[in-house]
Amino acid sequence: VATLAVVCLAAVVDWYLVQFARVMLDSKVSAQNEAVVERLLTGMCDAVVRLRSNFAIERHSPQLAALLLRGPQNSLEGVQFQDLLQEDERTTFCQRLNDSAKASISEDTDGTTHANISCSIPGNMRDSSGSRVPVQLVYTSVQDVNEELFHVVGIREDSV
């Protein structure tokens, strides 16, 4: 009976270790994928921001601040991204990003969640003096390892 208990305990411990290893690998792969997306957009765009599900900018972007002629002391962290767009484009942008997020999040047969769609739309941002800055917005939606939705947006100034 004691031998059976030890064998069962060893099987349970083994199962938990395998599950832990799988979670750690998924986490590492997810972080690497996020980094690849951000590096790719950084190479193609003037600025890249990560937005929380409520469209708040997750961390300050010196590149976006420079594009919008804001001084280095004006952090964009926590700013609602749509507030940087021209008023008549805010609702449309939020709706398109939400629609894209709903359509793009899928789950593979192995349980891996990822985004299938990235989108690009023209837009207009406002700089610090209120002047129009024509841009191209490239975005995709992703779920992190905690299954929280976030958006990655690349901003490229359009030469109109």
Side-chain angles (χ1 to χ4, degrees), residues 8 11 20 23 26-27 32 36-37 73 79 86 89 92 110 120 124 127-128 132 135 146-147 152:
C8 287
F20 178 75
V23 167
D26 287 347
S27 173
Q32 288 174 338
V36 167
V37 167
Q73 71 281 5
V79 170
Q86 282 199 179
E89 297 179 354
T92 303
D110 67 355
S120 176
N124 292 288
D127 68 15
S128 61
R132 184 177 72 90
V135 294
N146 298 321
E147 296 186 7
V152 179

Side-chain angles (χ1 to χ4, degrees), residues 62-151:
Q63 297 83 2
L64 181 57
L67 179 69
L68 300 178
L69 306 175
R70 294 173 179 246
Q73 71 281 5
N74 295 328
S75 175
L76 294 171
E77 184 176 335
V79 170
Q80 295 293 305
F81 184 80
Q82 68 271 24
D83 291 346
L84 301 174
L85 299 172
Q86 282 199 179
E87 268 187 63
D88 60 336
E89 297 179 354
R90 293 175 184 174
T91 303
T92 303
F93 174 78
C94 292
Q95 188 61 48
R96 290 199 54 188
L97 202 57
N98 276 330
D99 291 346
S100 172
K102 290 174 192 169
S104 68
I105 301 299
S106 68
E107 193 169 291
D108 288 343
T109 55
D110 67 355
T112 304
T113 303
H114 59 90
N116 293 323
I117 299 171
S118 61
C119 300
S120 176
I121 59 170
N124 292 288
M125 300 185 87
R126 295 176 306 128
D127 68 15
S128 61
S129 66
S131 297
R132 184 177 72 90
V133 179
V135 294
Q136 191 70 29
L137 302 170
V138 181
Y139 58 89
T140 191
S141 302
V142 183
Q143 280 186 330
D144 63 17
V145 293
N146 298 321
E147 296 186 7
E148 290 185 32
L149 180 70
F150 67 91
H151 313 282

Side-chain angles (χ1 to χ4, degrees), residues 10-28 110-111:
V12 168
V13 168
D14 183 56
W15 182 83
Y16 277 111
L17 288 175
V18 168
Q19 295 305 312
F20 178 75
R22 184 170 291 145
V23 167
M24 293 302 292
L25 285 173
D26 287 347
S27 173
K28 187 173 183 177
D110 67 355

